[in-house]
């Protein structure tokens, strides 16, 4: 049996106690997730995080640190994802920019507003990444070593 993890990135973007989330359609449900997606060929993890955030929310962001690296096996399909989650800050919104297919809209929610809707989490990683961010422990972006 051939097993291969899927490499993904996500961003936690906070502004005055609210977090930039994505309301999206996934497996026939409307869910909330961090801006997140798959690493593409010839792309660094940092480039992927910035690109995915822009494509899913219309926001340019500046990455400020690494929150953590997570392994998650989705119960719906048994696929294992390795997620590298970055912290960042919002720089500029492009409201006229079309969003990725399946994205309903970006949403700014507090941690409490997110906690009140567990049935809408895309996965348990959504609150976990925010909670890990809220501990204040960020790793430097230099943790990520791109090929020379």
């Amino acid at each position: 049996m051939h097993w291969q993890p899927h490499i993904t990135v996500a961003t936690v973007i906070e502004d005055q106690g609210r977090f930039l989330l994505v309301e999206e359609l996934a497996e026939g449900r409307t869910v909330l997730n961090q801006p997140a997606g798959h690493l593409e060929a010839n792309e660094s993890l940092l480039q992927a995080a910035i690109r995915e955030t822009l494509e899913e929310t219309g926001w340019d962001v500046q990455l400020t640190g690494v929150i953590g690296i997570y392994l998650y096996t989705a119960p719906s399909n048994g696929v294992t994802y390795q997620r590298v989650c970055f912290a960042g800050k919002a720089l500029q919104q492009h409201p006229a920019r079309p969003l990725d297919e399946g994205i309903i809209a970006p949403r700014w929610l507090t941690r409490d507003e997110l906690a009140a809707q567990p049935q809408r989490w895309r996965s348990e990683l959504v609150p976990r990444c925010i909670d890990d961010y809220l501990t204040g422990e960020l790793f430097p972006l230099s943790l990520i070593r791109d090929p020379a």
Side-chain angles (χ1 to χ4, degrees), residues 53-120:
T53 304
L54 178 61
E55 290 176 353
E56 294 191 353
T57 69
W59 278 92
D60 288 324
V61 297
Q62 177 183 357
L63 302 180
T64 57
V66 178
I67 297 169
I69 301 171
Y70 305 83
L71 275 181
Y72 175 75
T73 301
S76 62
N77 60 14
V79 173
T80 298
Y81 299 90
Q82 180 182 30
R83 173 189 265 205
V84 181
C85 190
F86 295 92
K89 65 180 182 178
L91 298 176
Q92 178 181 358
Q93 184 182 25
H94 305 277
R97 181 184 171 85
L99 303 178
D100 275 356
E101 185 176 334
I103 303 296
I104 297 167
R107 302 284 185 227
W108 288 93
L109 298 176
T110 66
R111 175 62 177 89
D112 289 342
E113 289 168 335
L114 178 65
Q117 305 176 64
Q119 72 284 0
R120 295 191 64 206

